[in-house]
Amino acid sequence: MNNVQFHIGEVVANNTTYEYSDEKNFEIRVITYTDFYNRRDIRAIPYDNNIKKIPAVGEHVLLICGLSQENTKDSIYPQWYYASSFSVNSDANDNKLSNYVKSDSEITGSINLTTKQVSWLQPFSGDLMFEGRFGQSIRFSSTTKQKYSSPPTWTGQTDGDPIIILSNGRKFENKYVVENLHEDASSLYLTSTQKIPVLLGDKNNRNPLSCYAPTESSYERSQFIGVADRIILKAKTDIAVIDSPRGIVLNTTGEVKIGNDEANISLVHGDVLLNILQKILNQLSQPIQCGTAQGTFINRTNLSTAQNELQNLLNSKYFITKDTY
């Protein structure tokens, strides 16, 4: 291979792109137009097989000629590779410029791209962003105090402090948008020093932290925040552990069920039970009136023992919200 070869071309239908192969996975078919009067029909595979973006039919790609797995020191068997598609329409979802080239042998019945309106993320200086076609993204960003048309939803004291945001599903707006913890379908935030506007409870019944300062929206140290309509954490073969040196809060305006979702035996309010048992012991300690005679229990050992043990009924570490039917 004496000369480095490049081509640009349009992706056309190929019935093997999404089928598994032992040799050439993710292969696309491209009609080149580098030389407009000498177009070529080329099969190409990804330039990078670990990070790939499979272009849709009608999108345009850069092709690079390189070595194939059949190459030896004595013979050359070239293989074409495709880099990412061109942002012809500057669109997150669809960058087709279809029918720029024609092919008499074009295969029909291809898998077509599902198109939808998707907003671009607002870039901030220094960001590294991966944006999918359908409104999902991973942002490697930082605290910034500079002014942007759509400001970040996080704040912090020191520019450059890192933050990672994984977001899935956003409503379309005809402008740059920023991830929103409560409006995006699901989110995962890894922070360092940023404040995140977390609202606990639901929109009709807020349930903010009140005993543990700082509050959920003013905390300025590292956080792991996940938000979705439903969250399931499952340990496959061993225990699940939530560990904290300060405290664990199960925060809900609904019910807490232990065992399974059919649990229907109520937990006891410890302070109420303590008060009831104390009254019973006090009553049993009083003299017993029988006609004109009075007396007490002959053996009061169990009564005294119960009175002493009653002081250990309440736990100093585990608490529940007092709630009655």
Side-chain angles (χ1 to χ4, degrees), residues 76 79 82-83 90 99 134 140 149 178 203 221 288 290 297:
I76 295 176
Q79 168 67 55
Y82 62 87
S90 191
N99 300 321
F134 305 105
F140 296 83
S149 57
V178 180
K203 62 181 180 181
R221 297 177 64 185
I288 300 172
C290 185
F297 291 106

Side-chain angles (χ1 to χ4, degrees), residues 33 65 107 128 149-150 154 205 236 284 315:
Y33 52 85
C65 189
I107 301 172
L128 173 62
S149 57
S150 295
W154 58 92
N205 192 6
K236 292 177 64 177
L284 293 176
N315 194 292

Side-chain angles (χ1 to χ4, degrees), residues 302-325:
N302 289 336
L303 193 62
S304 299
T305 301
Q307 180 65 59
N308 293 332
E309 291 182 353
L310 192 63
Q311 309 310 311
N312 298 323
L313 179 66
L314 298 185
N315 194 292
S316 62
K317 291 182 63 178
Y318 305 102
F319 305 91
I320 61 173
T321 300
K322 187 174 182 179
D323 193 13
T324 59
Y325 288 103

Side-chain angles (χ1 to χ4, degrees), residues 15-155:
N15 61 0
T16 62
T17 300
Y18 298 95
E19 300 295 331
Y20 177 77
S21 168
D22 288 332
E23 296 181 352
K24 296 181 179 180
N25 285 297
F26 319 110
E27 184 182 67
I28 63 172
R29 180 171 167 234
V30 180
I31 306 299
T32 70
Y33 52 85
T34 313
D35 183 344
F36 197 80
Y37 298 100
N38 185 25
R39 296 175 179 176
R40 297 178 59 185
D41 189 329
I42 291 177
R43 305 298 173 110
I45 59 177
Y47 175 78
D48 186 337
N49 224 20
N50 296 106
I51 301 176
K52 65 182 70 68
K53 174 186 176 184
I54 300 176
V57 172
E59 292 187 328
H60 296 246
V61 296
L62 172 67
L63 299 177
I64 307 166
C65 189
L67 302 179
S68 71
Q69 62 182 357
E70 289 87 9
N71 273 77
T72 68
K73 64 179 182 179
D74 300 317
S75 59
I76 295 176
Y77 297 91
Q79 168 67 55
W80 285 96
Y81 299 87
Y82 62 87
S84 183
S85 54
F86 294 108
S87 302
V88 175
N89 301 324
S90 191
D91 190 272
N93 173 260
D94 182 10
N95 282 287
K96 293 195 297 290
L97 181 60
S98 299
N99 300 321
Y100 184 73
V101 299
K102 300 290 184 180
S103 172
D104 295 334
S105 61
E106 184 170 348
I107 301 172
T108 59
S110 63
I111 297 177
N112 295 314
L113 174 69
T114 299
T115 58
K116 63 179 296 185
Q117 290 184 307
V118 176
S119 300
W120 287 115
L121 283 180
Q122 169 72 57
F124 303 117
S125 179
D127 279 4
L128 173 62
M129 299 186 296
F130 297 90
E131 297 186 62
R133 293 182 186 268
F134 305 105
Q136 65 275 74
S137 60
I138 302 176
R139 182 199 293 268
F140 296 83
S141 190
S142 67
T143 298
T144 178
K145 297 188 181 70
Q146 300 182 64
K147 302 298 182 182
Y148 294 90
S149 57
S150 295
T153 52
W154 58 92
T155 58

